[in-house]
C-alpha cells in the first residue's frame, strides 16, 4: 500500500507479515501489523517507540492501513488534555498472517481415515460434492439460461473454478471437442494424499454439466494440468 497521499492499494496487495524486511514503507507497515497483533491496541507514540521509528512515519503508515481497512482507530480520553488515538488490527488483516490450512486438512483426513477407513473418507467427499453441486448449479443458473449450450455451461464452470484458485479455462476445438483445463490444484496436498478428492471432482463436473466427463491429465499424478474432455451424453 502506498503512502496516504495517494490511493491505497487493495488489501489483497498488502505486505504479508513475517516476510523479509526491506527497510522501506512496506517493511514498516508489516512491522506495525505484527506489533499490533502481538501487543493489542496501541498509540502511535507507543508503536514508534517499540519499532524505533519516527512518529510521523508511523502515523503515515497507520493512516494507509486504516484506509485499506486493515487497522481501526479508537479515540480514548484519559483525564484532562488531548485524547489519545489507539490503533488495532481489523478482522480483514487476518488474511495477511500465516495460515496452516493444508496441515489442518491433512490432519482431519488422517483422523477420518483412522476412524472409518477409505469408506468413511469416500462418504465425506461425497457429502462435500453434494454441497458443492447445489452451490455450483445456483451460480450457473444465475449466469446462463436453461437453453445454454454445453460449451456455455463448461465455460461458466471454468469461471467458477478459476474463482476458487484452479486457474481454469475451457476450449472448443475445431472438431467440436470441449475441454476444461485446470492449471493449478487448489487442494493439491489433499488430492495427492487421497484419490477420493479427485473422484469427487470428476463426479461433480459430470453432475452439474449433465455430460460425459473424462479426465485426460491429472496434476496429482504428475501432469502439468488437470484436463477434462467433455461431451454430450448420448440420447437414450
Amino acid at each position: 500500500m502506498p503512502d496516504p497521499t495517494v490511493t491505497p492499494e487493495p488489501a489483497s496487495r498488502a505486505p504479508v507479515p513475517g516476510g523479509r524486511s526491506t527497510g522501506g514503507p512496506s517493511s514498516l507497515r508489516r512491522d506495525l501489523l505484527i506489533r499490533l497483533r502481538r501487543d493489542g491496541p496501541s498509540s502511535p507514540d507507543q508503536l514508534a517507540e517499540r519499532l524505533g521509528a519516527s512518529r510521523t512515519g508511523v502515523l503515515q503508515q497507520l493512516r494507509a492501513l486504516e484506509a485499506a481497512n486493515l487497522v481501526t482507530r479508537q479515540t480514548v480520553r484519559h483525564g484532562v488534555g488531548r485524547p489519545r488515538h489507539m490503533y488495532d488490527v481489523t478482522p480483514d488483516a487476518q488474511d495477511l498472517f500465516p495460515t496452516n490450512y493444508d496441515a489442518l486438512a491433512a490432519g482431519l483426513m488422517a483422523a477420518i481415515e483412522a476412524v472409518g477407513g477409505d469408506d468413511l473418507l469416500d462418504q465425506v467427499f461425497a457429502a462435500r460434492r453434494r454441497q458443492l453441486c447445489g452451490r455450483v448449479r445456483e451460480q450457473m443458473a444465475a449466469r446462463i439460461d436453461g437453453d445454454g449450450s454445453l460449451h456455455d455451461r463448461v465455460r461458466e464452470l471454468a469461471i467458477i473454478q478459476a474463482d476458487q484458485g484452479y486457474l481454469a479455462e475451457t476450449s472448443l476445438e475445431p472438431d467440436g471437442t470441449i475441454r476444461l483445463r485446470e492449471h493449478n490444484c487448489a487442494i493439491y496436498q489433499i488430492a495427492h494424499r487421497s484419490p477420493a478428492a479427485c473422484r469427487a471432482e470428476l463426479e461433480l463436473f459430470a453432475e452439474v454439466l449433465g455430460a460425459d466427463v473424462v479426465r485426460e491429465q491429472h496434476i496429482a499424478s504428475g501432469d502439468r494440468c488437470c484436463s477434462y474432455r467433455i461431451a454430450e451424453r448420448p440420447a437414450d
Side-chain angles (χ1 to χ4, degrees):
M1 285 161 291
D3 292 337
T5 53
V6 294
T7 303
E9 294 178 23
S12 61
R13 295 176 59 191
V16 178
R20 183 179 178 183
S21 175
T22 60
S26 294
S27 173
L28 181 53
R29 287 193 294 271
R30 178 173 54 247
D31 292 344
L32 285 167
L33 288 171
I34 293 173
R35 197 79 255 173
L36 288 171
R37 172 63 78 189
R38 286 177 172 168
D39 299 345
S42 305
S43 70
D45 288 333
Q46 290 171 328
L47 290 166
E49 181 180 355
R50 292 166 188 163
L51 295 175
S54 70
R55 186 178 188 277
T56 300
V58 165
L59 272 173
Q60 286 180 338
Q61 301 312 318
L62 285 172
R63 287 167 184 158
L65 290 168
E66 185 180 11
N69 199 37
L70 297 176
V71 302
T72 185
R73 176 179 45 155
Q74 184 178 11
T75 302
V76 178
R77 296 189 177 276
H78 54 103
V80 296
R82 298 176 61 184
R84 291 199 316 177
H85 291 147
M86 303 294 285
Y87 290 82
D88 200 3
V89 292
T90 67
D92 285 355
Q94 178 59 50
D95 290 340
L96 303 179
F97 290 88
T99 58
N100 197 17
Y101 292 121
D102 282 349
L104 173 62
L108 288 173
M109 285 183 59
I112 292 168
E113 211 168 12
V115 170
D118 290 341
D119 287 343
L120 182 56
L121 202 56
D122 285 339
Q123 291 176 42
V124 169
F125 278 108
R128 180 177 180 273
R129 173 181 55 78
R130 289 191 293 270
Q131 291 175 338
L132 289 175
C133 186
R135 193 181 314 155
V136 170
R137 278 179 167 161
E138 286 180 6
Q139 289 179 273
M140 292 176 66
R143 295 174 179 175
I144 55 176
D145 58 37
D147 297 329
S149 66
L150 177 58
H151 186 222
D152 291 334
R153 299 197 300 276
V154 175
R155 189 165 48 217
E156 285 302 324
L157 178 59
I159 293 172
I160 292 169
Q161 289 298 96
D163 288 342
Q164 298 302 313
Y166 287 88
L167 298 180
E169 63 178 5
T170 184
S171 63
L172 178 61
E173 299 177 10
D175 63 358
T177 300
I178 300 172
R179 280 191 170 84
L180 171 66
R181 293 182 179 87
E182 295 175 332
H183 297 279
N184 178 57
C185 180
I187 57 167
Y188 177 76
Q189 296 299 332
I190 295 174
H192 188 66
R193 177 185 177 91
S194 172
C198 296
R199 280 200 303 270
E201 182 183 67
L202 189 61
E203 292 167 3
L204 171 69
F205 290 174
E207 192 169 349
V208 298
L209 293 172
D212 287 338
V213 181
V214 177
R215 181 186 287 117
E216 298 177 312
Q217 293 177 283
H218 191 206
I219 291 175
S221 298
D223 294 324
R224 289 294 303 272
C225 72
C226 287
S227 177
Y228 302 88
R229 187 177 73 252
I230 300 166
E232 297 279 6
R233 286 176 179 160
D236 294 336

